[in-house]
Each structure stands twice: as C-alpha cells, then as structure tokens.
Amino acid sequence: DITMLNTQNNRQTDRLTDREIEKYVVTSVLHQKPAVLSVKAGEAVTLRCSFEEQKMNERMVWYKQKPGQAPQNVGSLIANIKIISLEFEKSGIKLERTSNSISLIIPNTTKHDEGTYFCGFSQISTVQFSTGTFLTVTGNHYIYIFLSVHNFHYLE
C-alpha cells in the first residue's frame, strides 16, 4: 500500500491498493525484433519498436550500446518533436513515430553503426527499455583497390 498525504497539512488522506497504483504507474510491453540483425555496409536499415498502447505524448527514446561501453543516447521523440544527438545526426540517422511504434532509420550503414539498439519510453524518473536489437555490419560497400605498377629493369 502507498499512503497519500495531503500536501497542505501533511495529513494522511487515503491509502492506495496495488490495483490503484497501477493506474499511476503505467507498464507497457515494448516489442523490438529481431534480436540480431546483420546488414551489409552501405545498406539502409530500419529498427522498429512497437508498443501496445498509444504513446503520442510520452517521451520515446533510442539508445545504442557497444560491448564494454555505456549506452549512448541516440535521440528521443516527444509528441512530434524529434531530438537527435549530434554524433548520430552527423551520420544521417532519422527517427519516426506512429501512434503505436517508433523507428530508427540508418540510411547508409557503416561499421561504426554496429551495436545493440534499445528503444524505450520515459515514465516519471525511469525509462522502460526493450530487449534490444544487435546490429552487425558486414563487408564493405565500396572496395577500393589501388595498384601501383613499377617497371623493373634488371641488369645482367
């Protein structure tokens, strides 16, 4: 049980049951699949996160984590306002949303894009995250071969 206090005189006014608390603390399941995604360098990729309830006015977030490093904030969406971290904005990453999903779009993947991407949404002072998608980038989109031809003359 949680005791609610009257803020004017700090008196106990009501006790909330667990069921009533659920009205204030919203839990929602975030769906993000696949768990692992492999793309070739240079390909575009869209990571999608869907949820059961509409969250148009809640702060939705994307984070990226590389092995052994702390998560990095890729960007967030609040209503129709999109905020992308400077590092990720330089690479052309975009965020989109519908009433029950958010997407992260990488238009031209590079090895630098590898990592685990998590979507989430803010609730008061916490963030609820998805299980994430590990993105691996294989091969090179462009292969440059430089040949240098030398003429050798052997003296006999």
Side-chain angles (χ1 to χ4, degrees), residues 8-137:
Q8 292 178 350
N9 57 18
N10 284 338
R11 281 185 324 153
Q12 179 177 329
T13 57
D14 200 1
R15 292 184 82 68
L16 296 178
T17 65
D18 289 340
R19 183 172 293 261
E20 291 169 319
I21 292 169
E22 288 175 8
K23 293 178 189 174
Y24 298 99
V25 180
V26 179
T27 57
S28 179
V29 177
L30 299 170
H31 303 282
Q32 186 181 344
K33 291 183 179 181
V36 177
L37 180 60
S38 181
V39 297
K40 291 180 183 173
E43 289 183 340
V45 67
T46 298
L47 303 176
R48 188 169 175 269
C49 182
S50 61
F51 28 88
E52 295 170 357
E53 300 167 6
Q54 288 190 3
K55 301 197 175 304
M56 289 303 289
N57 296 318
E58 294 188 45
R59 182 173 174 252
M60 306 301 296
V61 297
W62 278 100
Y63 277 80
K64 174 187 173 186
Q65 185 172 25
K66 289 190 171 216
Q69 295 183 11
Q72 298 174 284
N73 181 356
V74 176
S76 60
L77 295 144
I78 304 168
N80 289 325
I81 300 168
K82 300 172 186 178
I83 302 165
I84 299 175
S85 300
L86 185 59
E87 175 187 346
F88 295 98
E89 188 176 48
K90 289 178 185 177
S91 67
I93 285 179
K94 295 183 173 106
L95 302 177
E96 292 182 357
R97 84 179 302 154
T98 65
S99 62
N100 65 343
S101 72
I102 58 171
S103 297
L104 182 145
I105 299 134
I106 306 171
N108 184 17
T109 55
T110 67
K111 274 293 207 188
H112 179 74
D113 295 315
E114 281 191 333
T116 303
Y117 290 83
F118 300 93
C119 68
F121 70 94
S122 292
Q123 285 183 285
I124 307 169
S125 62
T126 63
V127 178
Q128 180 178 340
F129 285 102
S130 65
T131 54
T133 295
F134 179 73
L135 177 66
T136 180
V137 180

